[in-house]
């Protein structure tokens, strides 16, 4: 078992097809909209059917605001490292620190030679890559004195001026499979980035061992190296093989890869928008929660379902400072009483309350963190809901402008905005459903077991989950109407207003009743 404890990252691996550039860029924008963390493209400069990867990364950086970007992996034989270093640093500065650097020693040597590159043996490729890493890191070290000097066998830099420094510490990830490349990863790199399809059973374990040994011999910690993995698969109603089945199967298999093999970044190779939506909305949150729960227990995930699974945690929210032991200090988010909709789907006055906290009890920092975590998860849901309302207003303004101007450009913008809003709403509904499912199946049964006095509260929360599910279905119906009707935005706004009222009220009630029991009962 090798879990290096890194936070989990989920990304996309999109074909940089030149036949439909708009679709290629649209898939990258979609990856950000549905909540993925990373967008990557393969880099084969000799392939005329592909867009140039660095030009594409620059264009996508300008079309996005949050998602990180990387070549997967950069073709070093056709990209001189000194120039590459400045390209990466420049785009990182322009994008606000969102660029990572994947590097490869090279392959398809006939095509590389046809483009003017030099054919290298495997051993030469490793040495050239190590020299390139030295060149790149020296150029990024803008505060060091003197020019960059690397007198290598394959790369020579004789006094080049340093800089610019990137906006953030750019990690170097190596696409590596053979022992010499794996040893180089352990000595010099920040991440290992293979593709699952090229690996045989046991290769991840063997690769980790080689990297770990090389890291220790170089005076580094194995935890310094992130383990990334390109994956591919197919969503289906029943399981037919590895990563070929329902989302629940994907969740279990990726969680096992995280906890058994140390993988902390999963990059899905797919050009199917529905795959990206399901990966971001159904798989990623559940994997995060399952891995966090298993890390809390300090054990690997069971390979067969447990009768009483551990509850889940989302690790996306930043941890707050630990509190000293003492009185319970976690503050539930109050319900401000404001409502957007005239409809009411339940009677809030009938909500039961749990047992009053013991005023003499003290709580450890870990117990305080257990209570605070629920607030952090809910803060994420509240923040995303606010963004949906903002998007609706932006789309409403854009549609008015497009209808007035009657220009082709404005009409296309209106269609793009509709698509963006629809994708965002659909993804959010899936995230809420996943969160509630995990609570119903894992968290609530444990609360009932550990303190039967909480049963009325838990029963009511489960009932409200069913009501919220109906409200979410109303949002889904409104999305369908929105796509097909010129005035569909009004129905969608009304549906989202009702969702906002019910969900915010529910989240506040749940925090009021559960943050203290979560701490008191030791439920994370």
């Amino acid at each position: 078992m090798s879990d290096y404890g890194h936070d989990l990252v989920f990304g996309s691996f999109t074909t940089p097809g030149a036949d439909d550039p708009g679709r290629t860029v649209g898939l990258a924008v979609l990856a950000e909209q549905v909540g993925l963390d990373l967008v990557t493209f393969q880099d084969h400069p000799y392939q005329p059917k592909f867009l140039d990867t660095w030009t594409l990364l620059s264009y996508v950086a300008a079309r996005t605001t949050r998602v990180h970007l990387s070549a997967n992996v950069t073709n070093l034989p056709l990209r001189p490292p000194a120039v590459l270093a400045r390209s990466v640093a420049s785009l990182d500065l322009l994008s606000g620190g969102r660029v990572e650097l994947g590097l490869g020693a090279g392959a398809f040597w006939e095509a590389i030679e046809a483009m003017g590159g030099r054919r290298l043996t495997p051993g030469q490729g490793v040495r050239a890559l190590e020299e390139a890493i030295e060149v790149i890191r020296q150029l990024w070290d803008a505060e060091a004195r003197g020019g960059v000097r690397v007198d290598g066998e394959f790369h020579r830099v004789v006094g080049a001026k340093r800089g610019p420094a990137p906006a953030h510490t750019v990690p170097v990830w190596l696409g590596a499979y053979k022992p010499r490349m794996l040893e180089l990863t352990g000595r010099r790199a920040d991440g290992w980035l293979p593709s699952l399809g090229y690996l045989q059973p046991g290769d991840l374990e063997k690769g980790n061992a080689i990297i770990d040994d090389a890291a220790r011999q170089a005076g580094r910690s194995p935890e310094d190296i992130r383990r990334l993995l390109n994956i591919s698969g197919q969503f289906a109603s029943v399981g037919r093989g590895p990563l070929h089945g329902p989302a629940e199967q994907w969740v279990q298999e990726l969680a096992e890869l995280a906890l058994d093999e140390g993988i902390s970044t999963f990059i899905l190779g797919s050009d199917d928008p529905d795959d990206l939506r399901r990966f971001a909305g159904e798989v990623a949150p559940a994997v995060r929660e399952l891995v966090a729960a298993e890390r809390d227990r300090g054990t690997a995930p069971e390979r067969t379902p447990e009768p009483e699974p551990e509850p889940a945690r989302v690790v996306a929210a930043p941890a707050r400072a630990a509190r000293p032991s003492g009185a319970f200090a976690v503050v539930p988010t109050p319900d401000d009483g404001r409502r957007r909709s005239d409809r009411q789907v339940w009677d809030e006055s009938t909500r039961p309350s749990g047992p009053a906290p013991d005023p003499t009890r003290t709580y450890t920092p870990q117990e305080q963190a257990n209570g605070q975590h629920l607030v952090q998860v809910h803060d994420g849901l509240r923040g995303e809901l606010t963004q949906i309302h903002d998007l609706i207003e932006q789309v409403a303004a854009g549609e008015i402008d497009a209808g007035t101007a009657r220009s082709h450009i404005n009409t296309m913008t209106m269609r793009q905005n509709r698509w963006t809003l629809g994708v965002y709403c659909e993804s959010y509904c899936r995230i809420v459903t996943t969160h509630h499912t995990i609570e119903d199946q894992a968290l609530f049964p444990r609360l009932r077991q550990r303190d039967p006095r909480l049963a009325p509260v838990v029963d009511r929360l489960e009932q409200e989950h069913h009501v919220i599910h109906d409200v979410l279905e109303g949002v889904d119906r409104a999305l369908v109407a929105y796509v097909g009707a010129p005035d569909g935005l009004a129905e969608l706004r009304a549906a989202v207003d009702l969702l906002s009222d019910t969900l915010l009220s529910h989240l506040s009630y749940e925090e009021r009743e559960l943050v203290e029991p979560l701490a008191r009962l030791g439920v994370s």
Side-chain angles (χ1 to χ4, degrees):
M1 174 180 174
S2 298
D3 178 11
Y4 300 93
H6 292 276
D7 59 307
L8 298 189
V9 172
F10 295 84
S12 65
F13 189 10
T14 300
T15 305
D19 56 335
D20 189 351
R23 186 174 191 276
T24 300
V25 174
L27 286 169
V29 173
L30 173 64
E32 175 172 87
Q33 291 166 350
V34 298
L36 291 177
D37 311 296
L38 176 67
V39 168
T40 71
F41 302 98
Q42 55 189 293
D43 182 31
H44 297 288
Y46 38 75
Q47 174 53 267
K49 294 182 179 180
F50 289 170
L51 298 166
D52 173 71
T53 296
W54 275 98
T55 305
L56 176 59
L57 287 170
S58 299
Y59 192 88
V60 170
R63 290 288 305 275
T64 55
T65 59
R66 179 192 58 80
V67 75
H68 283 234
L69 306 163
S70 179
N72 188 352
V73 290
T74 305
N75 189 297
L76 182 62
L78 291 176
R79 300 197 185 273
V83 177
L84 177 62
R86 292 210 165 116
S87 298
V88 172
S90 298
L91 188 55
D92 196 54
L93 289 165
L94 290 167
S95 66
R98 295 190 287 125
V99 177
E100 324 295 2
L101 178 57
L103 279 178
F108 306 103
W109 291 104
E110 290 184 2
I112 290 172
E113 283 186 307
M115 290 285 287
R118 174 184 174 184
R119 180 187 289 266
L120 302 177
T121 67
Q124 289 174 329
V126 175
R127 297 198 298 275
L129 180 55
E130 186 161 14
E131 292 172 6
I133 293 173
E134 181 64 25
V135 170
I136 290 167
R137 286 188 168 146
Q138 283 201 37
L139 274 161
W140 287 345
D141 189 6
E143 300 301 319
R145 298 175 61 86
V148 174
R149 296 190 178 275
V150 177
D151 189 11
E153 180 182 359
F154 304 95
H155 301 294
R156 295 182 68 247
V157 182
V158 288
K161 294 184 181 297
R162 298 173 183 269
H168 82 302
T169 301
V170 175
V172 176
W173 303 330
L174 299 188
Y177 297 92
K178 300 298 184 181
R180 282 178 292 191
M181 282 287 289
L182 294 168
E183 290 170 357
L184 174 59
T185 303
R187 290 197 312 271
R188 300 297 307 274
D190 306 298
W192 177 30
L193 176 52
S195 294
L196 185 59
Y198 293 158
L199 298 173
Q200 298 298 318
D203 281 354
L204 284 173
E205 182 180 1
K206 295 174 184 176
N208 278 332
I210 294 173
I211 292 170
D212 292 354
D213 289 343
R216 294 187 187 99
Q217 292 175 16
R220 309 177 69 200
S221 169
E223 286 74 22
D224 293 341
I225 300 108
R226 176 178 284 272
R227 319 300 159 115
L228 309 92
L229 189 64
N230 293 319
I231 61 172
S232 60
Q234 185 173 341
F235 289 102
S237 58
V238 296
R240 295 184 173 88
L243 294 181
H244 188 167
E248 294 80 5
Q249 175 186 331
W250 284 58
V251 170
Q252 183 66 26
E253 292 178 5
L254 296 188
E256 290 172 359
L257 284 169
L259 291 157
D260 293 350
E261 309 290 356
I263 305 302
S264 57
T265 297
F266 297 97
I267 305 172
L268 177 62
S270 176
D271 297 331
D272 186 333
D274 287 335
D275 285 351
L276 297 182
R277 295 185 187 107
R278 298 197 68 179
F279 188 58
E282 300 178 37
V283 176
V287 174
R288 284 192 171 104
E289 296 196 8
L290 179 56
V291 169
E294 296 295 341
R295 284 173 173 174
D296 284 348
R297 294 199 305 177
T299 61
E302 296 292 335
R303 298 193 181 260
T304 56
E306 295 181 341
E308 197 174 308
E310 287 292 320
R313 287 180 58 191
V314 175
V315 298
R320 304 189 186 185
R323 294 181 170 86
S325 296
F328 191 66
V330 179
V331 179
T333 306
D335 184 351
D336 61 14
R338 291 183 295 179
R339 299 292 183 263
R340 296 171 177 265
S341 175
D342 294 332
R343 291 183 56 194
Q344 291 185 349
V345 294
W346 52 48
D347 184 354
E348 295 177 4
S349 67
T350 62
R351 284 171 168 164
S353 294
D358 180 356
T360 66
R361 191 191 193 282
T362 60
Y363 300 81
T364 67
Q366 178 60 44
E367 289 172 334
Q368 300 264 14
N370 287 344
Q372 183 65 59
H373 182 74
L374 183 66
V375 180
Q376 292 174 340
V377 173
H378 287 178
D379 282 348
L381 294 176
R382 281 184 280 257
E384 295 289 332
L385 190 57
T386 298
Q387 291 191 37
I388 290 177
H389 284 290
D390 291 343
L391 270 174
I392 287 176
E393 299 312 314
Q394 293 173 28
V395 170
E399 292 195 356
I400 292 172
D401 292 342
T404 302
R406 297 182 180 276
S407 73
H408 176 69
I409 292 176
N410 278 346
T411 301
M412 292 302 295
T413 300
M414 178 183 69
R415 290 174 181 169
Q416 175 68 21
N417 288 343
R418 281 178 166 238
W419 182 65
T420 298
L421 176 58
V423 168
Y424 205 106
C425 287
E426 181 183 13
S427 174
Y428 184 76
C429 290
R430 285 181 174 174
I431 290 171
V432 172
T433 299
T434 299
H435 173 64
H436 285 171
T437 299
I438 291 171
E439 286 188 331
D440 291 341
Q441 295 180 356
L443 178 62
F444 291 169
R446 297 184 72 228
L447 288 172
R448 278 196 192 94
Q449 181 186 34
R450 297 194 180 187
D451 188 347
R453 297 175 298 171
L454 289 171
V457 170
V458 171
D459 290 343
R460 174 62 185 245
L461 290 171
E462 286 184 335
Q463 293 168 9
E464 293 192 1
H465 284 179
H466 290 295
V467 175
I468 292 172
H469 177 74
D470 293 339
V471 174
L472 289 170
E473 288 190 339
V475 174
D476 184 66
R477 290 191 296 270
L479 281 172
V480 174
Y482 169 61
V483 171
D487 59 349
L489 186 62
E491 183 178 346
L492 179 59
R493 181 189 274 118
V496 173
D497 284 348
L498 181 61
L499 173 63
S500 181
D501 289 351
T502 55
L503 187 58
L504 293 180
S505 171
H506 171 80
L507 297 180
S508 293
Y509 171 55
E510 184 173 294
E511 289 176 24
R512 186 189 80 194
E513 296 300 328
L514 295 189
V515 288
E516 191 277 336
L518 289 174
R520 171 169 51 85
L521 301 174
V523 178
S524 59

